[in-house]
Amino acid sequence: MKREKVQALNGEIHIPGDKSISHRSVMFGALAKGTTTVKNFLPGADCLSTIDCFRKMGVRIEQNGSDVVIHGNGIDSLSEPESLLDVGNSGTTIRLMLGILAGRPFYSAVAGDESIAKRPMKRVTEPLKQMGAKIDGRAGGEFTPLSVSGASLKGIDYVSPVASAQIKSAVLLAGLQAEGTTTVTEPHKSRDHTERMLSAFGVKLSEDQTSVSITGGQKLTAADIFVPGDISSAAFFLAVGAMVPNSKIILKNVGLNPTRTGVIDVLKNMGAKLEIKPSADSSAEPYGDLVIETSSLKAVEIGGDIIPRLIDEIPIIALLATQAEGTTVIKDAAELKVKETNRIDTVVSELRKLGAEIEPTADGMKVYGKQTLKGGATVSSHGDHRIGMMLGIASCITEEPIEIEQTDAIHVSYPTFFKHLNKLSNKS
Ligand code: SPQ
């Protein structure tokens, strides 16, 4: 796809539903007794993979765009899937589902695409095995395809080496089916959508700083879920609104869960003109409108406990940093290496093709600003939706047009991304 510089971006868009929350709404609706309705569900490829997997386990799910109805009949009604559970490109689907499958009394086989086959699974399969799960896979359960034979589970006290909502959620979902209490402790607090949504489904959890505990045997009751817009998707428009001259963009109903708002803190520290208008009726998940305007930006240092609060936004923050005065340093972000691509390598290689001065480090990167991005090159998402969108935004500021390959990957989390970008730049 060929893209070129834009003169200004103005107007209002509704950011599609949050991917993390959409996945959980389907999973927990499938485990609950009763009818769960979901509004503003994200109909992106990843969340559709989650629906597909639970349908294969006998759950009746109706999906019509962003409206989803899940006819749950309790966790014991899940049935043995007759074919492979295919998670596509979705790390969240496979890791959370493993926590559910670990305690189910049936056999299942799980796999996904080429990217999923390279992503580490032992971070989840190891604690689940400590609970009594029977999981096998390539390299001793590190890589897909994985097979799970249901087992009786016992609660554990698990100290996770990394801050990861996928590890925490998988262990808690197994804990829901285990004898006794399961506790997960993280080095820093990761996104807490699982905790918030399990509470909305009637499950009791106790939290203490970076630890969460759950007692096994609790039942979920159906709930009505509103999914706010995904702040990870909004981040691309926050960045472009700040970087492109004469711009003002209003983003409606964006999720403002504090475990996800690191990008807002970074934009403010960079000096961005950003206004936050929280909604009064936020229930389980806070949300509100964001207004971003063209800003002069300065470099920042990013590391420590903010990293899990903005991990998926680092590719777009790196681009933003090329337009900030000074050197931006991003550290403590080695987790970037095990995402859909190695996001340290793909960000650096693709931005360099556009003429950016950027250096990879062992756990992050250094970006030198403020620089003019020449463009005039062919770049690729490498099959990673966040890299694809970052490059789509980069094309708005490069001197010469750019050719972006593999833009289909963007369907994973934001199928209407280019439609929204064109609307704001009057190109529709
Ligand atoms: O689902 P997937 O493929 O892992 O998606 C990503 C993304 O960029 O959309 C990561 F590549 O988001 C993860 C996020 O990085 C979604 C997620 C969740 O919903 O629980 C948690 C984070 O991953 P982790 O490994 O830190 O738990």
Side-chain angles (χ1 to χ4, degrees):
M1 177 189 286
K2 201 173 179 101
R3 302 283 309 179
E4 60 180 20
K5 192 171 184 166
V6 300
Q7 297 311 316
L9 291 130
N10 282 287
E12 178 180 298
I13 52 172
H14 282 257
I15 296 290
D18 186 278
K19 177 160 78 67
S20 296
I21 299 174
S22 296
H23 281 303
R24 286 158 173 84
S25 68
V26 170
M27 293 186 185
F28 302 172
L31 303 184
K33 265 217 156 85
T35 304
T36 289
T37 60
V38 187
K39 296 278 173 221
N40 203 38
F41 177 83
L42 170 69
D46 270 14
C47 301
L48 298 180
S49 295
T50 295
I51 290 186
D52 184 54
C53 289
F54 281 84
R55 280 183 177 150
K56 282 187 178 158
M57 288 186 268
V59 184
R60 187 154 73 86
I61 304 171
E62 295 163 76
Q63 184 245 334
N64 189 357
S66 57
D67 286 333
V68 176
V69 180
I70 305 134
H71 300 272
N73 204 11
I75 191 166
D76 294 327
S77 72
L78 295 186
S79 57
E80 182 169 278
E82 286 170 9
S83 57
L84 182 83
L85 296 173
D86 182 357
V87 304
N89 188 245
S90 177
T92 308
T93 308
I94 190 164
R95 295 205 178 106
L96 268 61
M97 199 166 62
L98 283 169
I100 296 170
L101 295 172
R104 292 299 81 213
F106 53 68
Y107 171 84
S108 52
V110 193
D113 67 7
E114 274 171 42
S115 155
I116 281 291
K118 293 192 199 115
R119 293 180 71 181
M121 294 296 148
K122 266 195 184 165
R123 51 178 51 207
V124 168
T125 58
E126 280 304 325
L128 294 178
K129 282 183 186 174
Q130 286 174 27
M131 298 176 81
K134 294 196 183 102
I135 306 179
D136 212 348
R138 290 187 300 127
E142 178 69 316
F143 299 117
T144 57
L146 298 171
S147 64
V148 188
S149 311
S152 325
L153 305 177
K154 55 180 192 315
I156 55 166
D157 204 334
Y158 186 64
V159 180
S160 175
V162 282
S164 156
Q166 294 177 355
I167 299 175
K168 173 175 64 177
S169 303
V171 175
L172 291 175
L173 289 167
L176 193 63
Q177 308 170 71
E179 201 187 302
T181 299
T182 296
T183 302
V184 184
T185 304
E186 306 181 274
H188 301 293
K189 190 174 164 79
S190 64
R191 63 191 69 187
D192 64 359
H193 306 302
T194 293
E195 296 90 308
R196 286 172 187 258
M197 202 185 289
L198 280 177
S199 301
F201 278 84
V203 173
K204 291 201 164 48
L205 300 124
S206 59
E207 293 182 51
D208 181 19
Q209 293 175 30
T210 63
S211 296
V212 192
S213 301
I214 193 166
T215 303
Q218 299 186 64
K219 301 291 175 217
L220 281 70
T221 307
D224 292 331
I225 304 290
F226 169 71
V227 183
D230 197 325
I231 190 164
S232 297
S233 300
F236 296 100
F237 290 98
L238 293 176
V240 80
M243 292 189 301
V244 171
N246 307 315
S247 298
K248 182 172 181 180
I249 306 175
I250 302 165
L251 306 170
K252 301 294 287 180
N253 293 344
V254 178
L256 296 174
N257 179 320
T259 62
R260 296 283 300 280
T261 49
V263 66
I264 289 182
D265 298 353
V266 165
L267 276 160
K268 281 188 182 157
N269 289 340
M270 292 177 97
K273 284 190 201 163
L274 170 62
E275 197 189 338
I276 303 159
K277 299 178 173 175
S279 164
D281 58 73
S282 303
S283 48
E285 292 281 353
Y287 62 90
D289 298 344
L290 300 175
V291 185
I292 183 82
E293 284 180 63
T294 309
S295 315
S296 23
L297 303 170
K298 57 180 194 296
V300 281
E301 290 212 1
I302 305 170
D305 63 4
I306 198 172
I307 294 295
R309 298 177 53 234
L310 50 63
I311 188 74
D312 298 337
E313 287 65 79
I314 291 177
I316 190 65
I317 290 172
L319 173 66
L320 201 57
T322 66
Q323 303 309 302
E325 288 299 341
T327 303
T328 291
V329 180
I330 301 171
K331 57 179 187 178
D332 304 321
E335 275 293 293
L336 289 173
K337 295 178 183 172
V338 291
K339 299 296 181 186
E340 283 82 330
T341 55
N342 176 331
R343 286 181 179 160
I344 296 179
D345 290 354
T346 45
V347 165
V348 169
S349 74
E350 300 316 287
L351 283 179
R352 276 184 177 167
K353 286 181 195 164
L354 301 180
E357 204 186 325
I358 177 168
E359 267 171 35
T361 61
D363 62 353
M365 56 195 85
K366 281 188 190 155
V367 191
Y368 302 92
K370 178 181 179 175
Q371 13 176 340
T372 303
L373 297 185
K374 217 174 142 305
T378 298
V379 288
S380 172
S381 74
H382 293 271
D384 184 333
H385 54 132
R386 304 223 183 268
I387 302 299
M389 288 187 277
M390 182 273 282
L391 294 168
I393 297 300
S395 70
C396 298
I397 59 164
T398 54
E399 293 296 299
E400 304 288 331
I402 67 173
E403 179 72 32
I404 312 172
E405 291 177 340
Q406 296 188 48
T407 49
D408 279 2
I410 293 171
H411 288 126
V412 153
S413 66
Y414 202 160
T416 52
F417 173 75
F418 282 115
K419 196 175 144 201
H420 283 177
L421 194 53
N422 290 345
K423 180 187 160 194
L424 293 171
S425 54
N426 265 324
K427 279 192 184 154
S428 43

